[in-house]
Amino acid sequence: MLREANKAMKALQAVTITGRSTMTDGRWSSTRMRTDLKGTCSFTSAGSTGEKFEQIRIGDTDYVRPNLKHMQLSGIDTKGRTDQKNWGKTTVDPAAPAGEKGLTDCTHPFASFGKVTKGKTGEVGGMPTASLVVTDKADEGGTYTFHVATKGKPYIYRVVYKSPEFRTVTSYSDFNSPLNVEPPKTNVVDLAG
């Protein structure tokens, strides 16, 4: 069932992926990506210390906008700045690994691993789902619970990861609805020149 779900997810033309990780000490981080799973997406990340980072990738062009807190945490001098409205425009470096400098490459892995056991049935966003619990020897104390639709296509609606240190909930929605990812219309600064 999980193999079929991964196959269905990989075949999507567009999907929204949201994630939220919560540490045992209360710190948190969140992400939201609207993507074609290839090379076009809008991405936002935020954290409990006030940082926020926005990215739009369309083909070989990235538009990025970090807020002041994100810039400070990245070691950028923000002395004298009171606001950060501008988007930076730059060319995508095809050699840079995914996740480099906090940038996404708009893809998302859908792969099976570890030992799968069937859990309870339930609902996610009104969709009936079956839960599949995955454990792996390499990840001691961590479990993944995949909530897979039992009606229509076997899309994954939610994945919950729990470990002794943190919990992450990843949700999937807007399956194959129009992508609607466009460049920013104002406040764009070309970083290439």
Side-chain angles (χ1 to χ4, degrees):
M1 186 176 189
L2 189 52
R3 194 176 292 114
E4 287 304 308
N6 287 329
K7 188 176 170 185
M9 296 299 282
K10 285 178 185 175
L12 286 167
Q13 302 297 305
V15 64
T16 298
I17 305 167
T18 58
R20 185 174 176 97
S21 294
T22 308
M23 307 293 282
T24 51
D25 64 5
R27 289 178 298 139
W28 60 267
S29 63
S30 67
T31 58
R32 182 185 190 279
M33 180 167 65
R34 178 75 185 144
T35 179
D36 66 359
L37 298 173
K38 294 178 185 74
T40 299
C41 63
S42 61
F43 174 78
T44 305
S45 65
S48 54
T49 56
E51 71 273 23
K52 184 177 180 185
F53 178 81
E54 297 170 273
Q55 174 193 356
I56 297 171
R57 177 170 287 190
I58 300 173
D60 63 356
T61 303
D62 269 330
Y63 301 89
V64 295
R65 182 165 65 175
N67 71 357
L68 284 177
K69 187 65 176 180
H70 186 281
M71 292 167 78
Q72 290 162 355
L73 291 171
S74 301
I76 297 170
D77 182 12
T78 58
K79 191 174 181 181
R81 293 189 183 193
T82 56
D83 196 6
Q84 169 57 17
K85 291 181 185 172
N86 291 336
W87 288 86
K89 177 183 175 182
T90 185
T91 302
V92 172
D93 178 1
E100 177 97 354
K101 299 178 183 170
L103 296 175
T104 182
D105 65 359
C106 303
T107 63
H108 190 79
F110 294 105
S112 299
F113 54 89
K115 183 184 172 189
V116 181
T117 54
K118 196 158 185 180
K120 299 176 182 177
T121 57
E123 272 192 14
V124 176
M127 173 60 70
T129 59
S131 63
L132 303 170
V133 180
V134 178
T135 54
D136 191 355
K137 286 181 185 175
D139 183 7
E140 283 187 43
T143 61
Y144 290 86
T145 304
F146 292 77
H147 298 268
V148 179
T150 56
K151 182 176 157 189
K153 295 210 180 232
Y155 291 143
I156 298 170
Y157 273 69
R158 182 178 295 153
V159 179
V160 179
Y161 174 75
K162 287 183 186 175
S163 80
E165 294 83 31
F166 66 95
R167 178 178 191 261
T168 299
V169 178
T170 306
S171 300
Y172 305 89
S173 61
D174 305 321
F175 305 104
N176 283 333
S177 61
L179 193 61
N180 295 332
V181 173
E182 296 180 351
K185 300 207 178 355
T186 58
N187 300 320
V188 177
V189 176
D190 196 334
L191 302 177

PDB file of all heavy atoms in Angstrom, residues 13-40:
ATOM      1  N   GLN A  13       1.212  16.459 -10.548  1.00  0.00           N
ATOM      2  CA  GLN A  13       1.676  17.629 -11.293  1.00  0.00           C
ATOM      3  C   GLN A  13       1.805  18.852 -10.382  1.00  0.00           C
ATOM      4  O   GLN A  13       2.490  19.809 -10.701  1.00  0.00           O
ATOM      5  CB  GLN A  13       0.699  17.957 -12.434  1.00  0.00           C
ATOM      6  CG  GLN A  13       0.503  16.813 -13.411  1.00  0.00           C
ATOM      7  CD  GLN A  13       1.785  16.443 -14.129  1.00  0.00           C
ATOM      8  OE1 GLN A  13       2.424  17.275 -14.743  1.00  0.00           O
ATOM      9  NE2 GLN A  13       2.179  15.183 -14.014  1.00  0.00           N
ATOM     10  N   ALA A  14       1.121  18.815  -9.239  1.00  0.00           N
ATOM     11  CA  ALA A  14       1.182  19.918  -8.271  1.00  0.00           C
ATOM     12  C   ALA A  14       0.659  19.431  -6.924  1.00  0.00           C
ATOM     13  O   ALA A  14      -0.249  18.612  -6.857  1.00  0.00           O
ATOM     14  CB  ALA A  14       0.340  21.104  -8.754  1.00  0.00           C
ATOM     15  N   VAL A  15       1.263  19.958  -5.848  1.00  0.00           N
ATOM     16  CA  VAL A  15       0.850  19.586  -4.497  1.00  0.00           C
ATOM     17  C   VAL A  15       1.329  20.668  -3.526  1.00  0.00           C
ATOM     18  O   VAL A  15       2.315  21.360  -3.804  1.00  0.00           O
ATOM     19  CB  VAL A  15       1.419  18.201  -4.093  1.00  0.00           C
ATOM     20  CG1 VAL A  15       2.938  18.213  -4.030  1.00  0.00           C
ATOM     21  CG2 VAL A  15       0.812  17.683  -2.795  1.00  0.00           C
ATOM     22  N   THR A  16       0.619  20.830  -2.417  1.00  0.00           N
ATOM     23  CA  THR A  16       1.069  21.709  -1.336  1.00  0.00           C
ATOM     24  C   THR A  16       1.551  20.830  -0.193  1.00  0.00           C
ATOM     25  O   THR A  16       0.860  19.892   0.208  1.00  0.00           O
ATOM     26  CB  THR A  16      -0.070  22.625  -0.850  1.00  0.00           C
ATOM     27  OG1 THR A  16      -0.485  23.462  -1.937  1.00  0.00           O
ATOM     28  CG2 THR A  16       0.384  23.506   0.309  1.00  0.00           C
ATOM     29  N   ILE A  17       2.760  21.139   0.310  1.00  0.00           N
ATOM     30  CA  ILE A  17       3.370  20.360   1.390  1.00  0.00           C
ATOM     31  C   ILE A  17       3.648  21.311   2.552  1.00  0.00           C
ATOM     32  O   ILE A  17       4.377  22.292   2.393  1.00  0.00           O
ATOM     33  CB  ILE A  17       4.690  19.711   0.931  1.00  0.00           C
ATOM     34  CG1 ILE A  17       4.465  18.857  -0.320  1.00  0.00           C
ATOM     35  CG2 ILE A  17       5.295  18.878   2.063  1.00  0.00           C
ATOM     36  CD1 ILE A  17       5.751  18.431  -1.015  1.00  0.00           C
ATOM     37  N   THR A  18       3.036  21.057   3.692  1.00  0.00           N
ATOM     38  CA  THR A  18       3.304  21.881   4.877  1.00  0.00           C
ATOM     39  C   THR A  18       3.903  20.997   5.958  1.00  0.00           C
ATOM     40  O   THR A  18       3.542  19.825   6.086  1.00  0.00           O
ATOM     41  CB  THR A  18       2.025  22.552   5.414  1.00  0.00           C
ATOM     42  OG1 THR A  18       1.069  21.537   5.712  1.00  0.00           O
ATOM     43  CG2 THR A  18       1.444  23.525   4.408  1.00  0.00           C
ATOM     44  N   GLY A  19       4.822  21.569   6.709  1.00  0.00           N
ATOM     45  CA  GLY A  19       5.458  20.811   7.777  1.00  0.00           C
ATOM     46  C   GLY A  19       5.648  21.661   9.014  1.00  0.00           C
ATOM     47  O   GLY A  19       5.836  22.872   8.926  1.00  0.00           O
ATOM     48  N   ARG A  20       5.578  21.013  10.165  1.00  0.00           N
ATOM     49  CA  ARG A  20       5.841  21.703  11.432  1.00  0.00           C
ATOM     50  C   ARG A  20       6.565  20.743  12.363  1.00  0.00           C
ATOM     51  O   ARG A  20       6.082  19.643  12.616  1.00  0.00           O
ATOM     52  CB  ARG A  20       4.566  22.201  12.079  1.00  0.00           C
ATOM     53  CG  ARG A  20       4.840  23.033  13.342  1.00  0.00           C
ATOM     54  CD  ARG A  20       3.571  23.634  13.891  1.00  0.00           C
ATOM     55  NE  ARG A  20       3.805  24.349  15.122  1.00  0.00           N
ATOM     56  CZ  ARG A  20       3.978  25.667  15.217  1.00  0.00           C
ATOM     57  NH1 ARG A  20       3.960  26.407  14.141  1.00  0.00           N
ATOM     58  NH2 ARG A  20       4.171  26.243  16.393  1.00  0.00           N
ATOM     59  N   SER A  21       7.733  21.170  12.823  1.00  0.00           N
ATOM     60  CA  SER A  21       8.516  20.383  13.783  1.00  0.00           C
ATOM     61  C   SER A  21       8.495  21.090  15.126  1.00  0.00           C
ATOM     62  O   SER A  21       8.684  22.307  15.189  1.00  0.00           O
ATOM     63  CB  SER A  21       9.966  20.248  13.315  1.00  0.00           C
ATOM     64  OG  SER A  21      10.021  19.488  12.137  1.00  0.00           O
ATOM     65  N   THR A  22       8.275  20.324  16.181  1.00  0.00           N
ATOM     66  CA  THR A  22       8.254  20.864  17.534  1.00  0.00           C
ATOM     67  C   THR A  22       9.252  20.089  18.384  1.00  0.00           C
ATOM     68  O   THR A  22       9.174  18.856  18.461  1.00  0.00           O
ATOM     69  CB  THR A  22       6.849  20.757  18.153  1.00  0.00           C
ATOM     70  OG1 THR A  22       5.894  21.329  17.252  1.00  0.00           O
ATOM     71  CG2 THR A  22       6.778  21.502  19.476  1.00  0.00           C
ATOM     72  N   MET A  23      10.192  20.817  19.003  1.00  0.00           N
ATOM     73  CA  MET A  23      11.192  20.196  19.865  1.00  0.00           C
ATOM     74  C   MET A  23      10.596  20.009  21.263  1.00  0.00           C
ATOM     75  O   MET A  23       9.622  20.666  21.631  1.00  0.00           O
ATOM     76  CB  MET A  23      12.442  21.073  19.955  1.00  0.00           C
ATOM     77  CG  MET A  23      13.025  21.474  18.624  1.00  0.00           C
ATOM     78  SD  MET A  23      13.701  20.108  17.700  1.00  0.00           S
ATOM     79  CE  MET A  23      15.252  19.884  18.547  1.00  0.00           C
ATOM     80  N   THR A  24      11.217  19.143  22.060  1.00  0.00           N
ATOM     81  CA  THR A  24      10.717  18.910  23.419  1.00  0.00           C
ATOM     82  C   THR A  24      10.835  20.155  24.288  1.00  0.00           C
ATOM     83  O   THR A  24      10.097  20.311  25.256  1.00  0.00           O
ATOM     84  CB  THR A  24      11.483  17.750  24.084  1.00  0.00           C
ATOM     85  OG1 THR A  24      12.885  17.990  23.966  1.00  0.00           O
ATOM     86  CG2 THR A  24      11.138  16.421  23.444  1.00  0.00           C
ATOM     87  N   ASP A  25      11.745  21.095  23.933  1.00  0.00           N
ATOM     88  CA  ASP A  25      11.893  22.321  24.727  1.00  0.00           C
ATOM     89  C   ASP A  25      10.944  23.437  24.270  1.00  0.00           C
ATOM     90  O   ASP A  25      11.014  24.564  24.754  1.00  0.00           O
ATOM     91  CB  ASP A  25      13.342  22.807  24.708  1.00  0.00           C
ATOM     92  CG  ASP A  25      13.825  23.211  23.314  1.00  0.00           C
ATOM     93  OD1 ASP A  25      13.000  23.213  22.357  1.00  0.00           O
ATOM     94  OD2 ASP A  25      15.025  23.513  23.170  1.00  0.00           O
ATOM     95  N   GLY A  26      10.067  23.137  23.300  1.00  0.00           N
ATOM     96  CA  GLY A  26       9.078  24.118  22.860  1.00  0.00           C
ATOM     97  C   GLY A  26       9.457  24.878  21.595  1.00  0.00           C
ATOM     98  O   GLY A  26       8.611  25.538  21.000  1.00  0.00           O
ATOM     99  N   ARG A  27      10.711  24.819  21.179  1.00  0.00           N
ATOM    100  CA  ARG A  27      11.084  25.487  19.923  1.00  0.00           C
ATOM    101  C   ARG A  27      10.378  24.802  18.755  1.00  0.00           C
ATOM    102  O   ARG A  27      10.092  23.612  18.815  1.00  0.00           O
ATOM    103  CB  ARG A  27      12.606  25.431  19.706  1.00  0.00           C
ATOM    104  CG  ARG A  27      13.384  26.317  20.654  1.00  0.00           C
ATOM    105  CD  ARG A  27      14.879  26.183  20.434  1.00  0.00           C
ATOM    106  NE  ARG A  27      15.296  24.811  20.714  1.00  0.00           N
ATOM    107  CZ  ARG A  27      16.169  24.129  19.981  1.00  0.00           C
ATOM    108  NH1 ARG A  27      16.720  24.663  18.904  1.00  0.00           N
ATOM    109  NH2 ARG A  27      16.507  22.884  20.307  1.00  0.00           N
ATOM    110  N   TRP A  28      10.130  25.568  17.687  1.00  0.00           N
ATOM    111  CA  TRP A  28       9.445  25.001  16.537  1.00  0.00           C
ATOM    112  C   TRP A  28       9.964  25.611  15.242  1.00  0.00           C
ATOM    113  O   TRP A  28      10.561  26.696  15.235  1.00  0.00           O
ATOM    114  CB  TRP A  28       7.929  25.190  16.633  1.00  0.00           C
ATOM    115  CG  TRP A  28       7.508  26.642  16.713  1.00  0.00           C
ATOM    116  CD1 TRP A  28       7.302  27.359  17.848  1.00  0.00           C
ATOM    117  CD2 TRP A  28       7.299  27.539  15.613  1.00  0.00           C
ATOM    118  NE1 TRP A  28       6.959  28.653  17.535  1.00  0.00           N
ATOM    119  CE2 TRP A  28       6.957  28.799  16.168  1.00  0.00           C
ATOM    120  CE3 TRP A  28       7.366  27.416  14.237  1.00  0.00           C
ATOM    121  CZ2 TRP A  28       6.679  29.912  15.373  1.00  0.00           C
ATOM    122  CZ3 TRP A  28       7.096  28.525  13.441  1.00  0.00           C
ATOM    123  CH2 TRP A  28       6.749  29.746  14.017  1.00  0.00           C
ATOM    124  N   SER A  29       9.719  24.918  14.145  1.00  0.00           N
ATOM    125  CA  SER A  29       9.985  25.455  12.807  1.00  0.00           C
ATOM    126  C   SER A  29       8.876  24.957  11.889  1.00  0.00           C
ATOM    127  O   SER A  29       8.287  23.898  12.132  1.00  0.00           O
ATOM    128  CB  SER A  29      11.354  25.005  12.287  1.00  0.00           C
ATOM    129  OG  SER A  29      11.393  23.600  12.157  1.00  0.00           O
ATOM    130  N   SER A  30       8.581  25.742  10.866  1.00  0.00           N
ATOM    131  CA  SER A  30       7.518  25.339   9.943  1.00  0.00           C
ATOM    132  C   SER A  30       7.929  25.645   8.509  1.00  0.00           C
ATOM    133  O   SER A  30       8.756  26.537   8.260  1.00  0.00           O
ATOM    134  CB  SER A  30       6.204  26.051  10.273  1.00  0.00           C
ATOM    135  OG  SER A  30       6.324  27.430  10.030  1.00  0.00           O
ATOM    136  N   THR A  31       7.358  24.906   7.566  1.00  0.00           N
ATOM    137  CA  THR A  31       7.607  25.129   6.147  1.00  0.00           C
ATOM    138  C   THR A  31       6.297  24.973   5.381  1.00  0.00           C
ATOM    139  O   THR A  31       5.385  24.261   5.819  1.00  0.00           O
ATOM    140  CB  THR A  31       8.624  24.121   5.574  1.00  0.00           C
ATOM    141  OG1 THR A  31       8.130  22.789   5.785  1.00  0.00           O
ATOM    142  CG2 THR A  31       9.997  24.271   6.218  1.00  0.00           C
ATOM    143  N   ARG A  32       6.239  25.647   4.232  1.00  0.00           N
ATOM    144  CA  ARG A  32       5.107  25.475   3.318  1.00  0.00           C
ATOM    145  C   ARG A  32       5.646  25.571   1.898  1.00  0.00           C
ATOM    146  O   ARG A  32       6.347  26.531   1.572  1.00  0.00           O
ATOM    147  CB  ARG A  32       4.040  26.544   3.532  1.00  0.00           C
ATOM    148  CG  ARG A  32       2.826  26.355   2.620  1.00  0.00           C
ATOM    149  CD  ARG A  32       1.818  27.482   2.744  1.00  0.00           C
ATOM    150  NE  ARG A  32       0.576  27.170   2.064  1.00  0.00           N
ATOM    151  CZ  ARG A  32       0.375  27.303   0.748  1.00  0.00           C
ATOM    152  NH1 ARG A  32       1.356  27.752  -0.034  1.00  0.00           N
ATOM    153  NH2 ARG A  32      -0.800  26.987   0.210  1.00  0.00           N
ATOM    154  N   MET A  33       5.340  24.573   1.084  1.00  0.00           N
ATOM    155  CA  MET A  33       5.786  24.588  -0.301  1.00  0.00           C
ATOM    156  C   MET A  33       4.650  24.197  -1.223  1.00  0.00           C
ATOM    157  O   MET A  33       3.985  23.191  -1.011  1.00  0.00           O
ATOM    158  CB  MET A  33       6.974  23.627  -0.496  1.00  0.00           C
ATOM    159  CG  MET A  33       7.481  23.590  -1.931  1.00  0.00           C
ATOM    160  SD  MET A  33       9.099  22.785  -2.142  1.00  0.00           S
ATOM    161  CE  MET A  33       8.717  21.090  -1.685  1.00  0.00           C
ATOM    162  N   ARG A  34       4.434  25.021  -2.233  1.00  0.00           N
ATOM    163  CA  ARG A  34       3.505  24.709  -3.326  1.00  0.00           C
ATOM    164  C   ARG A  34       4.394  24.380  -4.510  1.00  0.00           C
ATOM    165  O   ARG A  34       5.203  25.217  -4.928  1.00  0.00           O
ATOM    166  CB  ARG A  34       2.607  25.914  -3.605  1.00  0.00           C
ATOM    167  CG  ARG A  34       1.636  25.700  -4.750  1.00  0.00           C
ATOM    168  CD  ARG A  34       0.486  24.802  -4.356  1.00  0.00           C
ATOM    169  NE  ARG A  34      -0.369  24.528  -5.506  1.00  0.00           N
ATOM    170  CZ  ARG A  34      -0.973  23.371  -5.721  1.00  0.00           C
ATOM    171  NH1 ARG A  34      -0.844  22.384  -4.862  1.00  0.00           N
ATOM    172  NH2 ARG A  34      -1.723  23.186  -6.775  1.00  0.00           N
ATOM    173  N   THR A  35       4.314  23.158  -5.060  1.00  0.00           N
ATOM    174  CA  THR A  35       5.327  22.714  -6.010  1.00  0.00           C
ATOM    175  C   THR A  35       4.789  21.804  -7.108  1.00  0.00           C
ATOM    176  O   THR A  35       3.772  21.130  -6.923  1.00  0.00           O
ATOM    177  CB  THR A  35       6.457  21.982  -5.254  1.00  0.00           C
ATOM    178  OG1 THR A  35       7.440  21.524  -6.178  1.00  0.00           O
ATOM    179  CG2 THR A  35       5.929  20.787  -4.454  1.00  0.00           C
ATOM    180  N   ASP A  36       5.520  21.796  -8.243  1.00  0.00           N
ATOM    181  CA  ASP A  36       5.226  20.828  -9.301  1.00  0.00           C
ATOM    182  C   ASP A  36       6.125  19.601  -9.153  1.00  0.00           C
ATOM    183  O   ASP A  36       6.125  18.716 -10.000  1.00  0.00           O
ATOM    184  CB  ASP A  36       5.388  21.451 -10.690  1.00  0.00           C
ATOM    185  CG  ASP A  36       6.831  21.843 -11.022  1.00  0.00           C
ATOM    186  OD1 ASP A  36       7.738  21.660 -10.168  1.00  0.00           O
ATOM    187  OD2 ASP A  36       7.060  22.327 -12.145  1.00  0.00           O
ATOM    188  N   LEU A  37       6.920  19.546  -8.079  1.00  0.00           N
ATOM    189  CA  LEU A  37       7.841  18.460  -7.747  1.00  0.00           C
ATOM    190  C   LEU A  37       9.010  18.338  -8.728  1.00  0.00           C
ATOM    191  O   LEU A  37       9.754  17.367  -8.691  1.00  0.00           O
ATOM    192  CB  LEU A  37       7.116  17.104  -7.634  1.00  0.00           C
ATOM    193  CG  LEU A  37       6.055  17.024  -6.530  1.00  0.00           C
ATOM    194  CD1 LEU A  37       5.285  15.705  -6.639  1.00  0.00           C
ATOM    195  CD2 LEU A  37       6.704  17.154  -5.158  1.00  0.00           C
ATOM    196  N   LYS A  38       9.166  19.367  -9.599  1.00  0.00           N
ATOM    197  CA  LYS A  38      10.253  19.327 -10.575  1.00  0.00           C
ATOM    198  C   LYS A  38      11.185  20.519 -10.420  1.00  0.00           C
ATOM    199  O   LYS A  38      12.325  20.365 -10.020  1.00  0.00           O
ATOM    200  CB  LYS A  38       9.688  19.274 -11.996  1.00  0.00           C
ATOM    201  CG  LYS A  38       8.923  17.996 -12.306  1.00  0.00           C
ATOM    202  CD  LYS A  38       8.356  18.027 -13.711  1.00  0.00           C
ATOM    203  CE  LYS A  38       7.489  16.815 -13.999  1.00  0.00           C
ATOM    204  NZ  LYS A  38       6.187  16.867 -13.328  1.00  0.00           N
ATOM    205  N   GLY A  39      10.702  21.723 -10.737  1.00  0.00           N
ATOM    206  CA  GLY A  39      11.584  22.883 -10.677  1.00  0.00           C
ATOM    207  C   GLY A  39      10.872  24.204 -10.513  1.00  0.00           C
ATOM    208  O   GLY A  39      11.484  25.263 -10.655  1.00  0.00           O
ATOM    209  N   THR A  40       9.580  24.161 -10.219  1.00  0.00           N
ATOM    210  CA  THR A  40       8.821  25.388  -9.989  1.00  0.00           C
ATOM    211  C   THR A  40       8.097  25.255  -8.649  1.00  0.00           C
ATOM    212  O   THR A  40       7.379  24.279  -8.421  1.00  0.00           O
ATOM    213  CB  THR A  40       7.794  25.627 -11.114  1.00  0.00           C
ATOM    214  OG1 THR A  40       8.491  25.755 -12.354  1.00  0.00           O
ATOM    215  CG2 THR A  40       6.978  26.887 -10.852  1.00  0.00           C
TER     216      THR A  40
END
